[in-house]
Amino acid sequence: MKKLLKDNIILILSICFILFLQLFIVSPTRVSGESMNHTLQHNDRSLVLKGNSVKRFDIIIFNTNKLTGEDKQYVKRVIGLPGETVSYKNNQLFINNEPIEEPFDIRDQSYTGDFSYVVNSHDYFVLGDNRGNSTDSRMFGGVNKEDIVGKMIYRFFPFNSIGKIN
């Protein structure tokens, strides 16, 4: 038994290191659906940095059990932070009544619609980039900080789209 352990110590340590990384630091994920088109496509593979420290416009993964009753994870973009008032009027985003430029490609912004939402102190307001085809905070409300799995940081597939996710 000692010889078996000694001969395979590098393999055993490597497996332990990979498991540690995946459980606590970063894990791979696959995008399912079209709610984040153009930024992310169906079947894109990316890495998620685990934790719930996010800022405006980060793309996050979160559990939907409490929001939709489904045992799923959604991928959306953080628009509103805790305590803010998020509104959309005439295709313009406002945070606390100040206009905010959205520095990413929104698929058909006219589908966003006009609304106003006050974000709770432990929640985040999220939207899909493909506003006409996204189930998001406009439907289910804010995402609690505890339900955030992490933020998407790097796409590794398809190979022609490898790189940091903005």
Side-chain angles (χ1 to χ4, degrees), residues 123-154:
D123 289 354
Y124 292 85
F125 189 88
V126 297
L127 293 173
D129 288 358
N130 186 1
R131 304 284 166 82
N133 190 17
S134 178
T135 302
D136 49 41
S137 287
R138 294 172 294 173
M139 289 82 180
F140 53 66
V143 174
N144 191 283
K145 186 173 186 170
E146 293 177 3
D147 293 324
I148 297 173
V149 174
K151 59 183 173 181
M152 299 185 90
I153 56 170
Y154 194 84

Side-chain angles (χ1 to χ4, degrees), residues 11-147:
L11 177 62
I12 293 167
L13 288 175
S14 297
I15 291 170
C16 289
F17 179 71
I18 289 169
L19 288 174
F20 175 80
L21 279 177
Q22 190 165 355
L23 285 172
F24 299 107
I25 299 174
V26 68
S27 66
T29 192
R30 180 181 65 88
V31 174
S32 178
E34 299 176 352
S35 71
M36 288 300 294
N37 285 2
H38 293 303
T39 307
L40 299 169
Q41 306 297 319
H42 178 69
N43 283 328
D44 278 3
R45 307 292 201 287
S46 61
L47 295 176
V48 175
L49 181 63
K50 295 199 173 186
N52 56 14
S53 175
V54 296
K55 60 185 187 307
R56 187 180 333 277
F57 300 140
D58 281 349
I59 298 175
I60 63 168
I61 292 185
F62 57 95
N63 295 312
T64 64
N65 304 49
K66 297 174 194 167
L67 298 170
T68 66
E70 298 175 295
D71 188 20
K72 289 185 172 183
Q73 292 182 336
Y74 280 4
V75 176
K76 305 292 178 198
R77 188 179 297 275
V78 173
I79 302 296
L81 304 176
E84 293 182 333
T85 299
V86 177
S87 56
Y88 226 92
K89 295 176 191 153
N90 299 320
N91 300 324
Q92 172 66 54
L93 170 66
F94 293 86
I95 302 292
N96 298 329
N97 295 318
E98 295 292 325
I100 302 290
E101 194 65 35
E102 295 176 275
F104 46 88
D105 189 11
I106 299 172
R107 170 122 356 137
D108 204 346
Q109 198 165 358
S110 65
Y111 286 116
T112 305
D114 291 352
F115 65 85
S116 184
Y117 185 86
V118 178
V119 185
N120 290 331
S121 62
H122 288 57
D123 289 354
Y124 292 85
F125 189 88
V126 297
L127 293 173
D129 288 358
N130 186 1
R131 304 284 166 82
N133 190 17
S134 178
T135 302
D136 49 41
S137 287
R138 294 172 294 173
M139 289 82 180
F140 53 66
V143 174
N144 191 283
K145 186 173 186 170
E146 293 177 3
D147 293 324

